[in-house]
Amino acid sequence: MKLSLKWLCDHVDAGEFFDKPEILSDKLTDVGLEVEDVIRGAEGLEHVVVGKITKLGKHPDADKLTYCDLDVGGGETLNIVCGAKNHKEGDKVVVAKVGAILPGDFKIKKSKIRGVESFGMLCSNAELGLAKEGEKSEGILILDKDAEVGQDFAKHAGLDDVIFEINVTPNRADCLSHLGLAREVSSLFKLPLKARKSLDESRTKKDVDFTLELLNSKQCPRYMGRAVYGVKVQESPEWLKSRLESVGMNSINNVVDITNFIMLDSGQPLHAFDLDKIKGNKLIISDSKKDESFTTLDGTELKLTGEELTIRNPEGPVALAGVIGGKNSGVDENTKNIFIEAAHFVPSSVRRTSRRFGIETDSCYRFSRGTDESRVHDCLNEALSLALDIAGGELGERTFEEYPDKKEASKISVSKSYLDDRLGFSVDSKRIEEIFKELSFKIISSSSTEWTISPPGYRWDIEIKEDLVEEIGRIVGYSSIPEILPEVKSSPQNDVKSFTLNKKLKEQMIALGFNEAIHYNFYHSKDEAVLGNEILNWLKSGESINISNPLSEDLAVMRTSLVPQLFSNYVRNFKLGNKVSKVFESGQSHVFVNNEFKESGVLSAGIWNDDKNKAPQDLLSDLMGVLESLMSSWKVGQWRAESIVKDALLPSLMHPSLAARIISEGKEIGFISAIHPAKTEGLKVSNNFAFFEIDLNKFFNGKPRPIKYKAFSRHPIVERDFSVTVKKLHSMDEVVKKIKKASGKLFVSYALKDKYSGKGIAEDEVSLTLSVKFQAEDRTLAEEELKALQKKVLDSLSGL
Amino acid sequence: MLSEQLDQLVEDALGSFKAATNSKSLYDAKVKYLGKSGKFTEILKGLGKLSKEERPAAGKLVNEKKKELEEAYSQILSNLETAELNKKIEGDFFNFSFPGSSEAQIGSRHPIGLVIEEMISILSRLGFAVRTGPHIESDEKNFSKLNFPKDHPARDMQDTFYIGKDHVLRTHTSPIQIRTMETEPPPLRILAPGSVFRCDSDISHSPNFYQVEGLYVDKKVSMAHLKGIIGFFVREFFGEKTKTRFRPSYFPFTEPSAEVDCTCPICKGKGCRTCSNSGWIEIGGCGLVHPNVLSSCGLDTDKWQGLAFGFGVERMAMIKFGISDIRLFNENLVNFSNQFNGAL
């Protein structure tokens, strides 16, 4: 909402704020009407005045320059050298005196131009910062003959206004007008509201045969209107145009401008019909008919649904109530007789219609936030009064009105102790009552400890006692509220378990050297969505979820896996030159399954390294190490990664020969894979990217598991190496099973020391060197015992 | 005679021990004097020629001297070995200006995660505990139960992503408050951190950003409690001297409502670019829970009162770390991430 200070002064004497607008803006912000910007029209126009050229001569040393004597008021005459050609003796011009700082930080100083002293500058539109975009200034600005010499130019040009840009919260729609803000200013600064001019009804004309019928008083509790006959539709007078323009509204014609002016002035949207275009001498307020068409003032054709409230004549709709007028009944230059409508429409009705057709007008903005039912008549009269002044004509004798159920003012009771308790500090009873009065609340009953009040018609936001807590609080000032910490009386509570577990897991990933990433919960591109969908289909976990109104088609699908974004992240980073890194994300996946939205925690990790000595297999090995570390710390008993062989559904991101399902304690909980080389083709990134993803709902199930200490032997651990040649795809589990079986209780652990394939070994085989640790619980292992054990192990492996 | 002979021998031996330049030549010298066929052994053998009476004293003397010499040997050997080791490692070299192994790098938390956890750890000291909820919420839990009637203009403030007709991507984490009030008995002190969604995307708005909200339900709850909690939080988070200011505002789910400003942590309230020269920075909203919200969750409003507050995590992180573009949070470039590998 743009508030013009000049306009505000129509309602309340706020002249003191021209010099100190910040006092007003700070106070408004303090009471909840946040001032976002203050624009001073006179900025850059100090020391700029109206002057009269009393003498004009040629510069002695320059043909193109003139030399002027200027009367700038107060008996002062200035000598100024000027290069323009469009001025003559006797002209009134704009003089920037020494000390002025024109827009663009242009400082005016005393100067010598070709040997002649000059004490200022005659200004053009452009130099004053007033040229419209693209406009070229031709010479200096020549003012009207009757401009007052010596007057500040800003004042002369009406540029001395101050505009406040106010963020009005939805509950304070009463402040979407100058009157509304004037009321607030009046109560805050104890300035009386000025009386309004009343409508002169001394001359009226008999109305044409005309009737009004209100068929939906639920959505339109009050409808009024009155005719003016013989108006002249023309351009608005300057004062009206500049008022509208000062708050950013374009002037259209005098009649339309009047309705807009009243709306901005009093907050009541109005509509003017061309009375002669209303067919059948009848206006009906009722719902639209299904599928009937309606063309708006601006020419948009709409198909109505039967649910909109319309203003209509027997032939069809002439306006969408509170939203926009019809082309068939609008005021134009030929209009002679008008009917001005002032009504109260229910916010939800206007809002639904506005949303349905995507029409946003100043009128529906206000109606959908609420308007003052009690002031409809006053506003109508103010508009009529202006119309008679500006557009001429005669007033119709009858005021049409349908107002079947007058709304009763609400009553709210509140006690001092309640106010004090909720605010957290005590407000003096006298002050409470004073505030009620300052806000024009009607005090129905009062004691020093309890009040029953009734808010004025424009404060329909005041409904319950909590609203009164806020009113007292904001007027006393929120700065008066003390800081008090509540005592902890509730029993200690724990964070929800999944949150705590997730935090631990993230800390582990950080410790393992991974950077945490956070991506959107919807995919960033259609490509990512396609990849995600493949994973979803492969895992058969459900359907993907689409956003009905996405920001763009690229951001339309909720993520089902974090891997596609992780891959994008890899590409983005690699291209920037980050060629070695480890990244993880712990987030949610979203699927639609069994007729429900299902969200599961997911951990996804990716690793890349463009080192020529590294193969994707090395990255997989690193990731397996990460998984191992996680599984062991979360006390997972049995887990393995099971190679995927020939899977037609395999997602295209995954490498058909370097992919596996992660099986933990018999349940599939995720997958691990190197990137499919085809995916990196053309992207100028390396193939060395591998990733895994696990379902955390499954992983966290039954976790955390208790740590149980197990006594350990203090007899020395002995290490022995074993070499064995096995088939490449041979499961390590089997090898280890044999070793364990052969060594019985003496087995501690094993490590893969080396693997070799190539020369000297069959193509489908690999030679492994395992380092196995042995230890006995009750004795130091003797050399002979070890030798026997070694042989037993070797024998057991030979069968592989 | 014997004593003089022994003294001479010890002197000679010590001389050759000391002359040894390495442990090998020292050992050779030792063999020469103390070895099986060394000089001391010779003398010991020669003792047999002495009379029975003379023998014990002479034997004792010889052994004493031998022991003396052996101790001297050990000392000299130890000195020599130390010198040798010192010499050997003299050439060892490590350039400590070289970078450490990249294998040992710790990873980085995302700044959003860091800030959420810090916020939680501060507020948990006041007894608040974390609750969570789904991203896809019913219209009812995201709006209706929070006192946003259908067709209410307050819904204009929320540019909402819809999933079908009746579900939305939650526009705030307040549905978690609803879920908690519906399922847990009061009194309550909970925090609702998480992802939220609005149809807005530019340098300072993300369509998917993070919030931490707090809810406190008890028998008597006031604006002063709200100011106490938020004042404490802001001082802990931004520094002891940070001041808090409440401005009246409007949210459908609280009455009274306030917006929370704190003195700009960058310029300490003097005015800078971050705070648009106002010295204050808006960090969140708060208020006393609207009775309609409490009753929509089945709480008796004659018995229970509540307060609620909410902060934008990105905003807090941007202020705290001096980040100017919200889109950085989502790009996850290593160059960005690596700056947050510290513990906060």
Side-chain angles (χ1 to χ4, degrees):
Chain A
M1 163 77 196
K2 283 195 169 82
L3 170 75
S4 147
L5 187 49
K6 272 189 172 177
W7 195 333
L8 185 71
C9 288
D10 285 359
H11 297 290
V12 66
D13 265 322
E16 58 185 293
F17 302 119
F18 279 106
D19 289 333
K20 292 214 153 81
E22 63 277 6
I23 293 182
L24 181 57
S25 76
D26 286 354
K27 189 74 196 176
L28 289 175
T29 299
D30 275 353
V31 298
L33 293 157
E34 188 189 358
V35 177
E36 291 182 321
D37 205 0
V38 179
I39 304 142
R40 306 180 70 152
E43 210 141 14
L45 296 177
E46 276 161 58
H47 304 294
V48 180
V49 299
V50 176
K52 184 180 174 186
I53 303 175
T54 52
K55 202 176 138 197
L56 178 69
K58 280 228 178 308
H59 189 287
D61 290 329
D63 289 349
K64 288 189 175 171
L65 296 178
T66 61
Y67 178 77
C68 317
D69 280 356
L70 281 144
D71 176 5
V72 290
E76 193 184 1
T77 302
L78 296 177
N79 304 318
I80 292 175
V81 175
C82 176
K85 293 193 189 83
N86 63 329
H87 54 306
K88 56 182 192 297
E89 224 165 76
D91 275 350
K92 302 234 173 114
V93 293
V94 185
V95 183
K97 299 206 277 188
V98 171
I101 302 170
L102 296 180
D105 207 23
F106 180 17
K107 292 184 181 120
I108 303 299
K109 290 180 217 156
K110 184 179 135 186
S111 63
K112 236 181 196 175
I113 300 168
R114 297 255 186 132
V116 177
E117 285 197 313
S118 179
F119 296 87
M121 189 176 89
L122 306 187
C123 308
S124 69
N125 252 337
E127 284 153 345
L128 293 165
L130 302 174
K132 297 202 173 87
E133 212 164 305
E135 180 187 289
K136 271 194 184 165
S137 293
E138 291 180 19
I140 58 169
L141 186 60
I142 310 290
L143 303 174
D144 287 349
K145 290 240 175 314
D146 51 3
E148 188 188 327
V149 171
Q151 194 183 35
D152 277 342
F153 170 68
K155 193 156 190 199
H156 166 80
L159 295 171
D160 51 343
D161 203 356
V162 181
I163 305 295
F164 298 82
E165 186 76 56
I166 300 172
N167 177 11
V168 177
T169 50
N171 59 326
R172 290 306 306 273
D174 63 301
C175 287
L176 289 172
S177 68
H178 284 79
L179 173 64
L181 288 163
R183 288 189 199 115
E184 199 73 3
V185 170
S186 158
S187 67
L188 293 174
F189 293 94
K190 306 200 167 52
L191 299 167
L193 279 173
K194 293 180 185 173
R196 318 285 312 232
K197 191 180 145 191
S198 57
L199 176 64
D200 177 4
E201 297 189 73
S202 55
R203 290 178 306 122
T204 55
K205 191 184 157 161
K206 193 170 166 33
D207 278 295
V208 295
D209 177 25
F210 188 79
T211 53
L212 188 67
E213 199 176 345
L214 175 61
L215 295 180
N216 187 343
S217 64
K218 222 172 163 187
Q219 290 184 24
C220 175
R222 188 176 192 185
Y223 193 94
M224 295 188 77
R226 197 163 175 180
V228 183
Y229 297 96
V231 295
K232 196 172 178 211
V233 178
Q234 58 189 2
E235 205 178 317
S236 289
E238 277 308 317
W239 74 264
L240 179 54
K241 280 204 272 186
S242 78
R243 272 289 152 84
L244 295 177
E245 279 165 10
S246 73
V247 294
M249 182 166 273
N250 291 328
S251 166
I252 294 164
N253 61 45
N254 52 1
V255 173
V256 175
D257 286 359
I258 287 163
T259 60
N260 281 334
F261 176 83
I262 297 297
M263 175 180 71
L264 296 168
D265 189 59
S266 298
Q268 170 69 48
L270 303 172
H271 185 64
F273 292 103
D274 184 331
L275 189 56
D276 299 319
K277 291 181 189 168
I278 305 294
K279 304 287 190 298
N281 295 335
K282 192 176 185 183
L283 272 184
I284 310 147
I285 299 98
S286 70
D287 293 350
S288 64
K289 296 199 168 75
K290 192 166 166 29
D291 293 337
E292 71 182 339
S293 59
F294 172 70
T295 308
T296 66
L297 269 175
D298 59 6
T300 312
E301 271 190 49
L302 306 175
K303 197 176 190 188
L304 305 184
T305 66
E307 286 171 33
E308 302 82 11
L309 185 67
T310 54
I311 317 299
R312 42 203 306 127
N313 61 32
E315 290 185 9
V318 292
L320 278 180
V323 179
I324 196 161
K327 203 180 170 95
N328 54 5
S329 60
V331 172
D332 58 37
E333 60 270 30
N334 301 318
T335 299
K336 294 280 176 291
N337 306 313
I338 59 172
F339 181 83
I340 298 180
E341 161 202 288
H344 182 71
F345 300 116
V346 164
S348 59
S349 156
V350 175
R351 197 178 151 73
R352 262 199 307 276
T353 305
S354 146
R355 281 187 81 167
R356 181 169 298 139
F357 299 114
I359 302 171
E360 279 285 347
T361 59
D362 288 304
S363 162
C364 71
Y365 183 79
R366 283 172 174 78
F367 276 127
S368 62
R369 278 165 171 70
T371 51
D372 184 0
E373 191 176 314
S374 67
R375 278 202 88 245
V376 171
H377 197 176
D378 294 341
C379 293
L380 176 63
N381 281 352
E382 281 159 24
L384 293 165
S385 194
L386 259 184
L388 293 173
D389 276 0
I390 291 168
E394 283 177 281
L395 196 59
E397 72 180 354
R398 189 174 154 203
T399 301
F400 292 85
E401 176 168 24
E402 289 296 329
Y403 194 11
D405 295 302
K406 199 174 168 194
K407 200 175 136 193
E408 286 214 14
S410 60
K411 283 182 202 165
I412 309 158
S413 298
V414 71
S415 67
K416 175 171 158 46
S417 65
Y418 185 77
L419 289 169
D420 288 352
D421 280 352
R422 299 315 307 272
L423 286 169
F425 68 103
S426 173
V427 183
D428 191 62
S429 288
K430 262 196 194 150
R431 182 72 189 118
I432 293 172
E433 197 156 326
E434 233 171 69
I435 291 171
F436 287 150
K437 284 177 185 159
E438 282 165 16
L439 294 171
S440 305
F441 290 179
K442 193 169 145 198
I443 299 178
I444 294 167
S445 74
S446 125
S447 68
S448 60
T449 54
E450 189 148 4
W451 298 266
T452 301
I453 63 102
S454 179
Y458 53 86
R459 290 305 303 275
W460 58 88
D461 62 310
I462 306 290
E463 296 173 323
I464 53 175
K465 56 188 180 180
E466 282 78 2
D467 295 320
L468 298 179
V469 175
E470 178 165 270
E471 289 303 302
I472 300 295
R474 79 182 178 99
I475 300 296
V476 171
Y478 277 9
S479 56
S480 310
I481 302 169
E483 285 191 14
I484 299 171
L485 279 176
E487 286 169 47
V488 183
K489 274 178 282 183
S490 51
S491 49
Q493 297 190 31
N494 292 324
D495 291 346
V496 68
K497 201 168 117 189
S498 62
F499 182 83
T500 316
L501 299 184
N502 215 295
K503 191 173 149 186
K504 277 187 191 172
L505 184 69
K506 285 182 196 171
E507 280 162 6
Q508 290 178 320
M509 291 304 288
I510 303 295
L512 289 164
F514 284 74
N515 284 343
E516 184 187 14
I518 295 183
H519 294 104
Y520 290 159
N521 278 286
F522 32 80
Y523 289 122
H524 293 76
S525 69
K526 277 192 239 171
D527 289 350
E528 284 178 0
V530 169
L531 297 174
N533 226 12
E534 288 173 3
I535 295 173
L536 196 62
N537 289 339
W538 177 58
L539 295 173
K540 298 186 179 68
S541 46
E543 290 166 52
S544 64
I545 299 165
N546 294 312
I547 300 171
S548 307
N549 56 333
L551 274 182
S552 76
E553 275 184 56
D554 275 339
L555 307 171
V557 184
M558 297 304 290
R559 60 179 179 179
T560 52
S561 158
L562 314 192
V563 167
Q565 286 163 322
L566 214 54
F567 176 61
S568 305
N569 182 253
Y570 157 61
V571 175
R572 193 159 53 235
N573 265 304
F574 196 93
K575 285 189 166 167
L576 186 63
N578 297 312
K579 297 184 176 177
V580 183
S581 196
K582 301 190 255 186
V583 171
F584 81 98
E585 178 167 9
S586 170
Q588 299 292 109
S589 76
H590 310 76
V591 292
F592 190 69
V593 64
N594 300 331
N595 239 1
E596 267 180 16
F597 298 111
K598 188 183 158 213
E599 294 177 29
S600 319
V602 165
L603 172 73
S604 216
I607 187 166
W608 66 90
N609 191 333
D610 74 330
D611 187 343
K612 295 268 180 307
N613 298 318
K614 288 228 176 196
Q617 284 88 334
D618 296 312
L619 300 184
L620 285 174
S621 170
D622 287 350
L623 284 182
M624 286 299 288
V626 169
L627 283 169
E628 223 161 77
S629 195
L630 293 181
M631 298 289 182
S632 127
S633 76
W634 290 85
K635 311 289 167 212
V636 173
Q638 293 285 326
W639 80 279
R640 66 181 193 279
E642 203 175 82
S643 276
I644 294 164
V645 192
K646 291 216 173 94
D647 186 335
L649 275 178
L650 194 72
S652 64
L653 270 175
M654 293 169 73
H655 192 302
S657 323
L658 300 177
R661 297 175 190 270
I662 299 168
I663 317 283
S664 167
E665 296 173 346
K667 279 201 187 108
E668 181 174 340
I669 65 162
F671 52 90
I672 177 169
S673 176
I675 190 73
H676 194 302
K679 279 287 156 207
T680 55
E681 221 161 85
L683 288 177
K684 292 183 181 155
V685 299
S686 137
N687 272 338
N688 270 351
F689 175 71
F691 52 88
F692 72 71
E693 177 160 293
I694 59 175
D695 181 327
L696 291 179
N697 285 18
K698 290 177 186 161
F699 183 73
F700 285 150
N701 188 21
K703 312 281 187 326
R705 289 183 177 157
I707 295 174
K708 275 192 187 141
Y709 167 73
K710 236 173 78 188
F712 57 93
S713 164
R714 287 187 176 273
H715 296 280
I717 293 169
V718 190
E719 224 173 308
R720 288 289 180 273
D721 287 356
F722 298 92
S723 282
V724 58
T725 302
V726 295
K727 294 272 186 242
K728 267 184 179 166
L729 270 176
H730 206 100
S731 165
M732 201 66 204
D733 292 348
E734 257 180 81
V735 179
V736 176
K737 220 187 267 170
K738 299 244 180 210
I739 298 175
K740 276 185 179 170
K741 202 178 167 200
S743 44
K745 276 185 171 177
L746 300 178
F747 179 86
V748 178
S749 65
Y750 85 97
L752 183 58
K753 237 180 157 182
D754 194 21
K755 48 183 192 273
Y756 172 78
S757 51
K759 221 176 154 189
I761 289 174
E763 203 169 295
D764 61 340
E765 291 191 330
V766 58
S767 161
L768 305 174
T769 306
L770 306 174
S771 168
V772 185
K773 287 180 175 169
F774 302 104
Q775 185 186 33
E777 266 171 37
D778 52 350
R779 62 194 185 278
T780 298
L781 290 172
E783 197 54 37
E784 294 84 70
E785 194 179 356
L786 271 169
K787 267 188 188 151
L789 182 60
Q790 247 175 299
K791 186 171 182 305
K792 204 171 157 195
V793 170
L794 264 179
D795 288 348
S796 77
L797 291 176
S798 69
L800 281 170
Chain B
M1 255 308 275
L2 176 69
S3 148
E4 280 155 26
Q5 196 187 345
L6 281 170
D7 285 346
Q8 185 62 47
L9 191 62
V10 167
E11 196 179 313
D12 291 351
L14 281 176
S16 56
F17 285 1
K18 279 176 187 160
T21 52
N22 55 44
S23 46
K24 171 84 176 63
S25 54
L26 178 66
Y27 182 76
D28 291 344
K30 184 194 169 191
V31 171
K32 184 172 166 195
Y33 291 95
L34 297 167
K36 273 185 186 162
S37 49
K39 302 228 163 139
F40 262 92
T41 319
E42 258 172 54
I43 290 178
L44 275 173
K45 280 181 188 159
L47 289 183
K49 292 173 191 158
L50 293 178
S51 67
K52 233 181 183 176
E53 292 75 33
E54 283 171 314
R55 228 178 279 159
K60 195 181 167 202
L61 188 65
V62 173
N63 280 329
E64 268 174 22
K65 289 292 173 188
K66 189 180 175 191
K67 201 179 165 204
E68 190 184 312
L69 198 57
E70 275 168 343
E71 273 167 17
Y73 168 80
S74 299
Q75 185 58 49
I76 290 166
L77 176 67
S78 148
N79 289 347
L80 256 184
E81 277 173 350
T82 307
E84 275 171 11
L85 181 66
N86 284 345
K87 190 155 185 204
K88 188 182 156 214
I89 63 176
E90 207 174 8
D92 286 351
F93 179 71
F94 182 75
N95 187 334
F96 286 95
S97 72
F98 284 2
S101 160
S102 62
E103 298 296 309
Q105 300 302 318
I106 198 158
S108 298
R109 282 306 306 272
H110 193 285
I112 288 175
L114 275 182
V115 166
I116 289 178
E117 268 161 34
E118 192 188 0
M119 292 171 81
I120 289 169
S121 91
I122 293 169
L123 290 164
S124 69
R125 282 186 270 150
L126 299 179
F128 286 86
V130 173
R131 296 292 178 273
T132 53
H135 296 151
I136 299 172
E137 274 289 4
S138 62
D139 186 277
E140 191 192 24
K141 284 196 172 68
N142 193 74
F143 288 126
S144 307
K145 291 205 165 183
L146 285 156
N147 198 32
F148 288 79
K150 279 224 187 295
D151 300 312
H152 192 271
R155 290 200 188 195
D156 267 1
M157 295 163 80
Q158 319 267 341
D159 305 298
T160 312
F161 288 117
Y162 278 86
I163 307 280
K165 256 177 81 183
D166 303 325
H167 287 84
V168 299
L169 291 182
R170 66 181 180 200
T171 56
H172 40 205
T173 56
S174 314
I176 299 175
Q177 299 188 25
I178 299 292
R179 285 169 177 272
T180 310
M181 282 190 278
E182 282 178 339
T183 53
E184 296 181 38
L188 294 168
R189 292 189 190 213
I190 61 135
L191 294 174
S195 232
V196 300
F197 306 82
R198 308 226 178 131
C199 311
D200 214 349
S201 184
D202 60 37
I203 187 165
S204 48
H205 296 93
S206 165
N208 180 186
F209 59 104
Y210 287 76
Q211 276 189 342
V212 173
E213 288 187 354
L215 168 75
Y216 168 50
V217 176
D218 211 328
K219 296 253 162 75
K220 267 196 177 180
V221 178
S222 75
M223 289 296 280
H225 291 145
L226 199 46
K227 232 180 180 182
I229 292 167
I230 291 176
F232 169 77
F233 167 75
V234 164
R235 284 189 299 275
E236 291 293 308
F237 190 86
F238 285 121
E240 209 182 320
K241 288 188 178 144
T242 318
K243 290 193 178 64
T244 311
R245 171 175 91 170
F246 278 17
R247 272 183 293 110
S249 189
Y250 170 76
F251 308 109
F253 35 84
T254 49
E255 187 68 41
S257 306
E259 277 182 292
V260 184
D261 297 340
C262 71
T263 43
C264 174
I266 313 252
C267 62
K268 314 281 175 221
K270 288 188 199 86
C272 66
R273 247 177 47 189
T274 305
C275 59
S276 315
N277 281 315
S278 68
W280 293 94
I281 231 165
E282 191 184 319
I283 53 167
C286 65
L288 301 182
V289 180
H290 197 289
N292 291 357
V293 176
L294 295 172
S295 50
S296 80
C297 299
L299 292 179
D300 181 348
T301 53
D302 289 333
K303 274 191 193 156
W304 299 105
Q305 302 180 340
L307 63 78
F309 54 88
F311 299 102
V313 175
E314 278 84 349
R315 183 150 180 81
M316 305 294 277
M318 287 168 95
I319 298 167
K320 187 149 192 143
F321 304 123
I323 298 166
S324 55
D325 187 339
I326 203 165
R327 292 170 293 203
L328 282 163
F329 290 110
N330 228 260
E331 275 185 305
N332 296 297
L333 290 170
V334 173
N335 322 59
F336 178 77
S337 310
N338 276 353
Q339 299 183 36
F340 302 96
N341 63 354
L344 198 69

